[in-house]
Amino acid sequence: AQKVTQAQTEISVVEKEDVTLDCVYETRDTTYYLFWYKQPPSGELVFLIRRNSFDEQNEISGRYSWNFQKSTSSFNFTITASQVVDSAVYFCALSFSGAGSYQLTFGKGTKLSVIP
Amino acid sequence: KAGVTQTPRYLIKTRGQQVTLSCSPISGHRSVSWYQQTPGQGLQFLFEYFSETQRNKGNFPGRFSGRQFSNSRSEMNVSTLELGDSALYLCASRTLPGDNYGYTFGSGTRLTVV
């Protein structure tokens, strides 16, 4: 069975602080994909990053960085120097093959509030 | 290019009624998936359509159904609405079912059942 756990339900930080959102996943597949999405109050899920199971390189995109560790089945997301615009719910997701397609299994999300 | 368009944005229905939600994918995207988001259960996969055929279905009762048209637009239908069907319904599109470069999601339809 596939499972994604985001243990942090809500996090509040003061603007300019760094914050890390945790994601732990479970899968028996050897080929899988991990994603992070951002959901602002408007409701739309905004794609942030995709990582496949064979690529454990960390990635940095501006203030965002991701740490993928297969040994601990974790795919953590760090925002450096947080801004008020980063306030949103963030979802980690796992993609696996089911009947020929790749549906997403999501974690419960972490609500991030950045206080000015 | 235009994103994924979902209509309507908000809907209020009475228990026992049925409802139809619409999703227009990004031009060129032929796979459309539907997800239900509730505070209790989070985001859950409903089904995926490709070439007017249902490719995969999540663990939802038969009251939830969908279809896809030849222009890739998709509709989902919920019959005999229950209070627990109140949720944000998100549609996502991608080029093909095997495309793992990520879905593009719409803004959702917020359904309230009273």
Side-chain angles (χ1 to χ4, degrees), chain B residues 20-25 29-32 34 49-54 66-77:
Chain B
T20 299
L21 312 181
S22 178
C23 172
S24 293
H29 284 194
R30 296 167 59 197
S31 169
V32 174
W34 290 89
Y49 285 87
F50 174 70
S51 292
E52 302 175 63
T53 302
Q54 187 180 92
R67 59 177 175 168
Q68 187 181 35
F69 302 94
S70 58
N71 62 358
S72 296
R73 190 177 72 85
S74 176
E75 289 181 347
M76 67 162 281
N77 184 77

Side-chain angles (χ1 to χ4, degrees), chain A residues 32-33 35 37 39 41-47 50 89 91 95-108, chain B residues 9 35 37 40-45 48 55-58 88 90 94 97-108:
Chain A
Y32 53 89
Y33 297 84
F35 300 82
Y37 283 89
Q39 187 175 45
S42 60
E44 180 180 354
L45 283 170
V46 178
F47 169 80
R50 163 192 175 268
V89 181
F91 291 94
S95 175
F96 66 98
S97 177
S101 68
Y102 288 84
Q103 64 193 69
L104 289 170
T105 295
F106 286 90
K108 295 287 191 185
Chain B
R9 284 281 279 142
Y35 287 80
Q37 185 178 18
Q41 299 299 317
L43 279 153
Q44 293 184 287
F45 172 75
E48 178 171 23
R55 293 293 302 266
N56 202 4
K57 184 172 165 58
L88 178 66
L90 290 163
R94 53 186 173 179
D99 169 14
N100 249 305
Y101 283 89
Y103 292 86
T104 301
F105 282 85
S107 295

Side-chain angles (χ1 to χ4, degrees), chain B residues 11-33:
Chain B
L11 209 47
I12 299 176
K13 288 287 187 178
T14 303
R15 196 169 41 179
Q17 287 186 313
Q18 76 166 17
V19 67
T20 299
L21 312 181
S22 178
C23 172
S24 293
I26 288 175
S27 177
H29 284 194
R30 296 167 59 197
S31 169
V32 174
S33 296

